[in-house]
Amino acid sequence: MQIREIHSLYFSPTGGTAKYAKAMAEGAAEALACPAEISSFTLPREREEGRHFSSDELLIIGSPTYAGKLPNKILPEFQEKLRGEHTPVLLFVTYGNRNFDNSLAELLSVLRGNGFLPLAAAAFACRHAFSDRICPERPRAEELTAARSFAARAAEALKTAERAALEAVSLAFTVPGDAGAPYYVPKGEDGAPAKFLKAKPLTDLSKCLHCGACAANCPMGSIDSSDTSKVPGICIKCQACVRGCKQGAKYFEDAAFLSHVRMLEENFAAPEKENLYFSVF
């Protein structure tokens, strides 16, 4: 099967998913000896236009896991903006050491329904967006090397595969999880559900330089660029504003949210989960 171009696309508010997307693109590009375009699907302007991929292109696509599935406010963008034409795809998710639950199955279902041929998939444990105590150094160099090798092996197999055979095995390809399952319900330290859907970041004005980086980095475009202490739009708790503020001016103080973070730190800081790989090859 001839592949003329590789596209690596990612939703990555805090950067971990982007690192894996780049590593996988490099591995596939080396194996197929063809160019790879690496692009973000994170910011509102990056999701404005639909993206169509042909049968002689390879798509690599990744997303973080939010509450055990794809980010619910971004899911419609995946469903509506991505279209394949029997396009082979390597898909992956990242997760903050608790569990990827049903996110990989949901991504596979979306892609298959949009004309793609899922052929290989992975789930990568990554630094948790909420806490530096959970997988603080991941992805490490050796894990990016493993991801690169995984993509290279899958891409190499494409070169000698017949399209009819690929389409047949792709239809039968499965990954762990249930695409239709409900979202994971976050829990607090007491084990009860932690309800923080309305929580939004606050601003320490004694530290804020009004540089606008938080507004520019928000994947929902929800922070007021003229007054970044205001968040009139939806907050998906991705931590892009918190992680991206060099002055440490952005923070959360919602009690339920902080209780959930402490629960995660107590139960999932160690041992670190292994990365998992699935392939038709």
Side-chain angles (χ1 to χ4, degrees), residues 31-42:
L32 294 172
C34 67
E37 176 191 66
I38 305 169
S39 56
S40 173
F41 198 62
T42 307

Side-chain angles (χ1 to χ4, degrees), residues 2 14 25 30 35 41 43 59 64 84 152 179-180 193 199 223 252:
Q2 182 65 42
T14 56
E30 183 176 343
F41 198 62
L43 298 177
L59 175 64
I223 299 176
F252 280 79

Side-chain angles (χ1 to χ4, degrees), residues 20 35-36 65 68 87 91 138 148 171 178-179 208 251 260:
Y20 278 114
T65 299
T87 307
L91 57 143
R138 297 182 85 165
R148 179 182 176 129
L171 283 174
D178 177 3
C208 180
Y251 65 99
H260 176 57

Side-chain angles (χ1 to χ4, degrees), residues 19-175:
K19 292 177 182 178
Y20 278 114
K22 182 175 183 292
M24 292 181 71
E26 291 172 346
E30 183 176 343
L32 294 172
C34 67
E37 176 191 66
I38 305 169
S39 56
S40 173
F41 198 62
T42 307
L43 298 177
R45 68 175 183 275
E46 296 167 338
R47 304 193 304 270
E48 289 178 354
E49 301 294 330
R51 306 194 187 206
H52 183 271
F53 304 92
S54 65
S55 59
D56 59 356
E57 296 175 300
L58 171 64
L59 175 64
I60 299 169
I61 185 167
S63 170
T65 299
Y66 285 12
K69 299 191 74 176
L70 298 179
N72 69 326
K73 297 300 181 182
I74 305 302
L75 175 60
E77 307 276 13
F78 281 103
Q79 294 170 321
E80 298 166 10
K81 300 294 176 65
L82 306 178
R83 288 291 181 271
E85 187 179 320
H86 299 277
T87 307
V89 59
L90 313 183
L91 57 143
F92 73 94
V93 295
T94 56
Y95 65 106
N97 207 47
R98 184 188 66 79
N99 202 313
F100 63 95
D101 291 334
N102 303 295
S103 57
L104 193 60
E106 186 171 41
L107 182 55
L108 183 146
S109 178
V110 169
L111 294 169
R112 179 172 282 152
N114 284 5
F116 294 90
L117 300 178
L119 298 174
F124 299 118
C126 207
R127 181 192 68 180
H128 203 294
F130 293 173
S131 173
D132 282 337
R133 290 182 55 193
I134 306 174
C135 291
E137 299 177 355
R138 297 182 85 165
R140 296 174 286 234
E142 60 268 30
E143 291 152 354
L144 293 175
T145 298
R148 179 182 176 129
S149 297
F150 170 68
R153 290 195 303 273
E156 184 72 30
L158 276 174
K159 293 195 296 188
T160 56
E162 296 291 336
R163 177 168 293 278
L166 283 179
E167 293 193 6
V169 294
S170 177
L171 283 174
F173 181 48
T174 61
V175 297

Side-chain angles (χ1 to χ4, degrees), residues 265-277:
E265 291 176 337
E266 181 177 347
N267 293 284
F268 301 102
E272 293 187 355
K273 295 287 182 70
E274 295 298 322
N275 294 332
L276 302 173
Y277 305 92

